Amino acid sequence: MEVRRFEVIIIGGGHAGVEAAWAAANLLPREQGEPPTVALVTSDPTKIGVMSCNPAIGGLAKGQLVREIDAMGGLMALAADATGIQFKVLNTSRGAAVHGPRAQCDKHEYARAVQRLIAARPEIEVIAGTVDGLIVEHGRVAGAVVGSGTTAATLEARAVVLTTGTFMRGLMHTGERRTPGGRFGEAGAEGISGSLRALGFELGRLKTGTPPRLRRGSIQWDSLPPALGDERPVAFSDLSGASEPSTRQPTPMPRSGGEVAPSLARFPVLAQVECRETRTTAAAHAAIRANLHRAPMYSGQIESIGPRYCPSIEDKVVRFAERESHTVFLEPESLSDDWVYCNGISTSLPEDVQDQIVRSMPGCARAEVLRYGYAVEYDMVRPHQILATGMTKRVEGLFLAGQINGTSGYEEAAAQGLVAGINAARLARGEGEFMLRRDQAYIGVLMDDLVTKTPVEPYRMFTSRAEHRLLLRADNAADRLTPLAESLGLLADDWLGAHRRQEFARREQDLARLRAAIARARVDGLPLSVAARRTEFGMADFRRALVGVDSAAGGLDGISDAIWATALADCKYEAYVIRQHAEVRRAIALETKRLPAAVDYRAITGLRPEARDALHRYRPATFGQAGRLEGVTPADVMLLSVVLGRGSNGAAPHSPGE
């Protein structure tokens, strides 16, 4: 059997896997003439970066995740900017803290962009194959076995990141028909679930779904109201900038080793396509009710739980029985084909019922279904068994990221991949763990939620989950996280890393110029920073107030719209931000205070039984995490602090595998 050695192995080429590989490559550069440091194992390399469901990146809270991934040197924003065909910032009627940048992408170009970015990294070797099992020695991961029989190969590494998506014992449902697989046309991964169970991991089962796709030429497109993108597209990445709508094709990217080409700096924006809006009808709802006995979710064929915040159309009809219709957005999937995504009618109903639903919608009486919707059931690892670094508590060096942890969405998966990739590389280099706090990033909120609240349904990020969301705006992601990325070494010593440093330095200089001007400007006798807090005070007023006010750096020419937006948001939120920073400072001492690893919480008699059970199950790393566990009250945390502080907890050490 062939044996090969890497620093880190990534299993899975989806959104979590590529971010993990990219982050690990940034931290584990390959010396001239040396072999690759990162292995990316996937059953089909042509499917790396595929958008298996909605062909869009970002949205409410998800857009903040993408901006943060970019600020940390990730690739998702670059690929989205390269291949976006409609850009829109959601929630602009509300404050900047909850704005959600979104890009509908050309799904084929997006996957190609990701594959070319990965191929441009000499540190990463893509290996085609299926992982048959993990190699674990004395409680530590040592590698993975790819393939079986005479073609089997052993890959050795100090760290392995498992990003299996919906493929672990994946089972697809359309009506009564069941097909093994994690995605249309692709087989599932059967061996990994057994390997994880054999290692003692507790697995769960979740469900997600996808809607039918239609042929655009068969839709009465012009009869339906348009759903337009923004007139001025806003990019995700600070390296991309914004541009006017264009019909240019994406800038070609290198397909093999070598530095990332300078052409990646300014991704052109593709033509801004128009989507269309339609709706379900009373006739469709009647057909759904009449066929619920054939719906896998209601017939008992599917026992796992689906995403509450992205329900199937049959679930909507049952849960919101008073509604006569539900909005459906018809979204072109690519500039190179005729496929249209039906956003709003995810379903696993039989094909004949899907035909009735589709053809009852306005504009779709003669619509041709190119692919029917289906549901996917898959195994996941209950995430109380991982740390906020992504590493499992049971096996040192084994990291989990993406839907395997019970999450839903490309962005949530990519964020976990970033964290897991960073920590896997740091472990391989003999360095300490890296975690983001809840007040630092939405990524920190996501990872903390996963390790303190095991999801009973696929987890989705919302702005309401972030108690410090006034600090965690999409527009200030770089200000919050790029210096941290630099200190970690995530900004690689290549052209792309150099360009990111240059852009961030320019951003800091321009913000300083603008803030110096703001400090001297007045409106109606008030300092501009105070006047800007008025609800009716907008960007036009802000710019007008600064006309003729020179900063110490000599004028405000050339400052981008994005930096103007950050400066205005800083003014509007200033009083609240000062208050939140004070709250954060008070909380950090408790948040970061470590809990001993060897504590038998069940032996602490002063704790309530519910608190003892929660602490034993989740084994939080810090007092802050303990306080957010379901079933743990502030009084429990206070008692825990007192008991552990005096060193007499009456507890016996527990083994790591307990």
Side-chain angles (χ1 to χ4, degrees):
M1 180 184 293
E2 182 187 10
V3 178
R4 300 190 60 194
R5 176 75 192 175
F6 295 89
E7 297 294 325
V8 172
I9 299 167
I10 314 295
I11 300 172
H15 303 281
V18 296
E19 290 294 349
W22 188 264
N26 284 339
L27 295 177
L28 298 168
R30 185 185 76 165
E31 298 297 330
Q32 187 84 19
E34 292 187 355
T37 53
V38 179
L40 176 58
V41 183
T42 179
S43 58
D44 185 353
T46 68
K47 296 297 195 298
I48 289 175
V50 160
M51 307 179 95
S52 53
C53 192
N54 192 349
I57 296 294
L60 299 178
K62 293 171 176 283
Q64 278 88 333
L65 286 173
V66 181
R67 287 278 297 150
E68 290 176 354
I69 291 166
D70 182 67
M72 295 289 287
L75 63 79
M76 176 172 268
L78 295 173
D81 288 346
T83 62
I85 56 178
Q86 188 192 84
F87 290 81
K88 187 175 183 65
V89 178
L90 308 181
N91 233 14
T92 53
S93 62
R94 302 181 64 191
V98 292
H99 289 179
R102 180 184 188 269
Q104 187 179 325
C105 298
D106 184 310
K107 66 177 184 180
H108 305 305
E109 290 293 340
Y110 183 90
R112 292 186 190 111
V114 171
Q115 290 167 26
R116 292 169 187 167
L117 284 164
I118 292 294
R121 298 301 300 267
E123 300 88 355
I124 302 171
E125 180 175 344
V126 176
I127 297 174
T130 301
V131 172
D132 196 51
L134 300 171
I135 303 170
V136 177
E137 300 172 351
H138 310 295
R140 297 181 179 181
V141 77
V145 177
V146 178
S148 58
T150 58
T151 61
T154 296
L155 307 182
E156 296 180 342
R158 289 192 62 192
V160 174
V161 183
L162 196 54
T163 69
T164 54
T166 60
F167 283 80
M168 284 206 309
R169 289 200 314 124
L171 185 62
M172 296 179 287
H173 301 258
T174 301
E176 298 88 348
R177 188 176 71 248
R178 288 180 282 192
T179 307
R183 185 164 56 208
F184 183 86
E186 296 181 62
E190 300 299 318
I192 289 292
S193 290
S195 295
L196 292 171
R197 278 202 175 90
L199 290 169
F201 286 98
E202 178 187 348
L203 305 187
R205 195 104 171 126
L206 290 177
K207 169 259 177 187
T208 189
T210 192
R213 272 71 160 178
L214 311 180
R215 186 182 298 282
R216 174 170 169 165
S218 66
I219 301 170
Q220 294 172 295
W221 195 259
D222 293 334
S223 71
L224 298 171
L228 305 175
D230 292 337
E231 185 176 346
R232 292 182 62 83
V234 175
F236 279 112
S237 177
D238 287 339
L239 302 191
S240 302
S243 69
E244 297 296 332
S246 163
T247 57
R248 291 176 293 169
Q249 295 301 304
T251 302
M253 288 179 273
R255 295 180 179 272
S256 57
E259 287 194 347
V260 179
S263 58
L264 291 184
R266 296 293 175 195
F267 285 115
V269 177
L270 300 182
Q272 290 266 77
V273 302
E274 290 186 358
C275 300
R276 286 292 187 270
E277 186 176 327
T278 185
R279 56 183 172 79
T280 59
T281 62
H285 293 195
I288 292 168
R289 293 189 187 98
N291 287 278
L292 282 177
H293 63 287
R294 303 172 65 196
M297 285 289 292
Y298 290 89
S299 67
Q301 183 173 309
I302 292 178
E303 297 181 359
S304 51
I305 299 173
R308 181 174 23 143
Y309 299 105
C310 187
S312 64
I313 186 58
E314 50 266 40
D315 208 16
K316 289 181 184 178
V317 168
V318 171
R319 286 168 51 190
F320 309 107
E322 75 284 359
R323 293 279 300 273
E324 294 184 356
S325 68
H326 294 277
T327 300
V328 179
F329 291 100
L330 302 178
E331 302 174 340
E333 291 195 332
S334 174
L335 299 181
S336 62
D337 66 29
D338 205 22
W339 287 50
V340 171
Y341 181 89
C342 295
N343 193 341
I345 53 171
S346 173
T347 184
S348 57
L349 282 160
E351 293 175 359
D352 61 293
V353 183
Q354 293 190 42
D355 284 333
Q356 294 180 61
I357 296 169
V358 166
R359 288 168 188 158
S360 71
M361 298 190 306
C364 299
R366 295 187 295 277
E368 177 185 351
V369 179
L370 294 171
R371 180 180 296 163
Y372 289 96
Y374 60 92
V376 185
E377 277 189 293
Y378 56 95
D379 283 350
M380 50 84 74
V381 177
R382 300 200 182 279
H384 67 270
Q385 299 164 102
I386 68 169
L387 302 166
T389 61
M391 189 170 77
T392 65
K393 299 175 182 178
R394 188 170 292 275
V395 178
E396 182 181 344
L398 177 61
F399 294 80
L400 309 179
Q403 286 174 290
I404 192 173
N405 287 333
T407 61
S408 174
Y410 306 149
E411 303 82 2
E412 290 88 345
Q416 292 170 73
L418 173 79
V419 172
I422 291 170
N423 280 291
R426 288 177 66 83
L427 181 70
R429 297 196 324 191
E431 297 174 348
E433 64 185 15
F434 163 75
M435 290 185 290
L436 285 165
R437 299 191 310 270
R438 296 179 71 93
D439 63 283
Q440 287 180 298
Y442 272 81
I443 299 173
V445 174
L446 166 65
M447 298 305 299
D448 186 70
D449 279 354
L450 288 181
V451 302
T452 58
K453 300 176 179 66
T454 292
V456 296
E457 63 185 6
Y459 177 100
R460 178 179 176 179
M461 179 55 70
F462 291 101
T463 53
S464 59
R465 297 190 190 274
E467 64 272 33
H468 302 296
R469 55 187 170 273
L470 297 185
L471 305 178
L472 309 180
R473 307 190 309 265
D475 67 85
N476 69 3
D479 306 320
R480 291 184 277 118
L481 297 176
T482 295
L484 179 58
E486 178 73 279
S487 69
L488 289 169
L490 283 168
L491 307 188
D493 290 327
D494 57 13
W495 181 90
L496 195 57
H499 189 56
R500 191 176 294 279
R501 293 185 188 92
Q502 178 184 342
E503 287 297 308
F504 184 70
R506 182 181 294 115
R507 177 181 173 84
E508 284 191 306
Q509 293 166 5
D510 287 350
L511 269 173
R513 289 165 54 202
L514 200 47
R515 286 167 178 160
I518 291 167
R520 290 193 296 277
R522 302 183 71 82
V523 175
D524 299 329
L526 294 173
L528 174 56
S529 60
V530 175
R533 298 175 194 172
R534 299 169 181 163
T535 303
E536 69 279 6
F537 197 97
M539 180 58 74
D541 303 302
F542 192 55
R543 287 180 180 270
R544 193 178 305 116
L546 288 166
V547 170
V549 178
D550 290 331
S551 72
L556 305 178
D557 294 339
I559 295 179
S560 71
D561 291 347
I563 292 174
W564 278 91
T566 294
L568 176 57
D570 285 346
C571 290
K572 284 189 172 293
Y573 288 122
E574 183 179 17
Y576 301 100
V577 166
I578 290 171
R579 189 181 310 158
Q580 283 207 351
H581 277 305
E583 293 169 357
V584 167
R585 284 194 296 272
R586 287 193 294 269
I588 279 178
L590 187 64
E591 177 65 40
T592 58
K593 185 178 180 182
R594 307 288 295 189
L595 280 163
V599 177
D600 185 355
Y601 293 105
R602 294 168 298 186
I604 303 179
T605 55
L607 290 171
R608 295 173 308 108
E610 187 180 6
R612 288 201 299 269
D613 291 344
L615 290 163
H616 175 73
R617 176 178 174 80
Y618 288 95
R619 307 210 65 84
T622 66
F623 279 88
Q625 287 183 359
R628 289 187 292 277
L629 293 177
E630 293 173 289
V632 176
T633 67
D636 294 321
V637 176
M638 181 63 68
L639 175 65
L640 192 63
S641 177
V642 171
V643 171
L644 297 182
R646 66 174 180 245
S648 56
N649 57 20
H654 69 88
S655 66
E658 183 177 337

